[in-house]
Amino acid sequence: SVMIGNPMTIPHLMLSFTDREHMQKEDLAAIKRSGISFRGKGNWPSLEEIVPGYVPVYPDRDSLVELLLVLQQVYIVLEKAKKDASFLQLDSAAVPAFLVRIPTGNGPGFRWKEHLLELDPRWAETSYLVDVSSYSRKALAGLPEASQVLHIELFMLPAPVKEKGNRAYFPFILLMVDSYTGMVISNSVLAPQPDMRSMCESIPQKVVDELLKLGHRPSEIGIRTGLLFELLDELLELAGCTVNLVEEMPEMDEAIASFISHLS
């Protein structure tokens, strides 16, 4: 739950049902204004907006208006799907196509139009700028190689930080561990400020700086997170480091568990 890709790193609105004592004051105020009553444990609706890396908050007006439109369209689609589920997607085409509803026209008089949209694999792609100083690149490439397998991981600490005047966020740890000994070689605290993209784009320079502090190039670097692999693979390979995408890092999991246990 603390790894990249967990719900706190994906932008979304979340509706959950909880007890009254766990509700935000904004939720309670909205319920009071609506005139609708709720009773019983687990029956109170709570709305939260998740901005990647930040503590969830009650949605602002723009998000609530958008949510209302989405829920209205979901209701319409569900009513139609009860009668004919096949209209949701078209499997017979060479490329899978999915139903979307598109607003047409302007102002309060706009209408919704149904459209089958072909799936594009590039929708899931996110590109990042890898900006590392030429001096750092050359310095890393010039280091002697040592017989060491180093594993790198990025994870989120489930302990929010609140700075005066700023929104509370979850700090991230960039961790380097020796795969043979399990020893933590380096740990760096990163903040998702001003946003997650900026934080991610700072990682390549941070990794190179930490490797330069070692005074040698590891013979192999293991990474299991797709995001980190995308950010570091080409950069480190050009500097003479062998980079592998691995599935398991038991020593890394132990190190992460140790970090989190010290929070309690």
Side-chain angles (χ1 to χ4, degrees):
S1 63
V2 296
M3 310 308 288
I4 287 293
N6 78 72
M8 290 298 102
T9 65
I10 301 172
H12 65 284
L13 293 175
M14 180 169 64
L15 170 64
S16 58
F17 292 87
T18 184
D19 301 339
R20 189 186 191 286
E21 55 267 29
H22 297 150
M23 297 281 285
Q24 301 181 66
K25 62 180 181 180
E26 294 89 349
D27 282 308
L28 294 173
I31 290 174
K32 184 177 180 179
R33 289 194 301 269
S34 72
I36 302 173
S37 61
F38 297 90
R39 295 184 182 279
K41 288 189 173 295
N43 291 330
W44 292 76
S46 175
L47 273 175
E48 293 179 306
E49 182 173 15
I50 286 79
V51 175
Y54 287 82
V55 174
V57 296
Y58 190 78
D60 60 20
R61 179 178 176 82
D62 290 342
S63 296
L64 289 173
V65 170
E66 183 178 355
L67 178 61
L68 176 61
L69 292 173
V70 170
L71 290 176
Q72 288 173 339
Q73 297 311 306
V74 168
Y75 178 79
I76 292 172
V77 170
L78 287 175
E79 285 295 308
K80 292 187 176 184
K82 287 169 62 177
K83 300 175 182 178
D84 179 18
S86 64
F87 91 108
L88 290 173
Q89 68 182 70
L90 185 63
D91 295 324
S92 59
V95 179
F98 299 87
L99 176 75
V100 295
R101 285 175 63 85
I102 303 172
T104 60
N106 298 313
F110 70 83
R111 298 289 184 270
W112 292 88
K113 180 180 179 181
E114 292 182 355
H115 175 66
L116 283 171
L117 187 66
E118 289 187 351
L119 177 65
D120 187 340
R122 292 174 296 179
W123 288 341
E125 295 180 357
T126 302
S127 59
Y128 295 90
L129 175 64
V130 177
D131 186 16
V132 176
S133 71
S134 57
Y135 170 80
S136 298
R137 293 172 185 261
K138 292 178 182 178
L140 179 59
L143 291 178
E145 182 179 295
S147 180
Q148 180 186 40
V149 178
L150 195 65
H151 285 173
I152 304 176
E153 185 61 282
L154 178 70
F155 66 97
M156 184 184 76
L157 283 179
V161 173
K162 180 70 170 73
E163 299 170 343
K164 187 176 181 180
N166 295 317
R167 182 173 173 179
Y169 64 86
F170 293 102
F172 286 76
I173 303 294
L174 181 65
L175 197 60
M176 298 185 183
V177 174
D178 187 299
S179 70
Y180 292 136
T181 65
M183 180 182 299
V184 174
I185 304 300
S186 167
N187 67 88
S188 305
V189 181
L190 306 178
Q193 296 174 325
D195 50 42
M196 281 283 292
R197 174 183 287 275
S198 299
M199 185 193 78
C200 291
E201 290 182 341
S202 73
I203 289 174
Q205 182 68 62
K206 175 62 69 174
V207 168
V208 172
D209 290 344
E210 294 301 320
L211 291 176
L212 289 175
K213 291 178 184 178
L214 290 179
H216 62 262
R217 285 183 291 111
S219 55
E220 181 182 330
I221 294 177
I223 300 172
R224 64 178 171 185
T225 305
L227 171 61
L228 282 182
F229 191 79
E230 177 187 346
L231 289 169
L232 300 173
D233 178 35
E234 183 177 357
L235 166 69
L236 295 179
E237 289 281 0
L238 289 175
C241 301
T242 299
V243 182
N244 292 318
L245 189 61
V246 300
E247 292 185 1
E248 297 182 356
M249 294 182 178
E251 78 297 331
M252 179 65 74
D253 291 332
E254 290 183 11
I256 292 174
S258 177
F259 264 87
I260 295 176
S261 67
H262 283 87
L263 297 176
S264 57

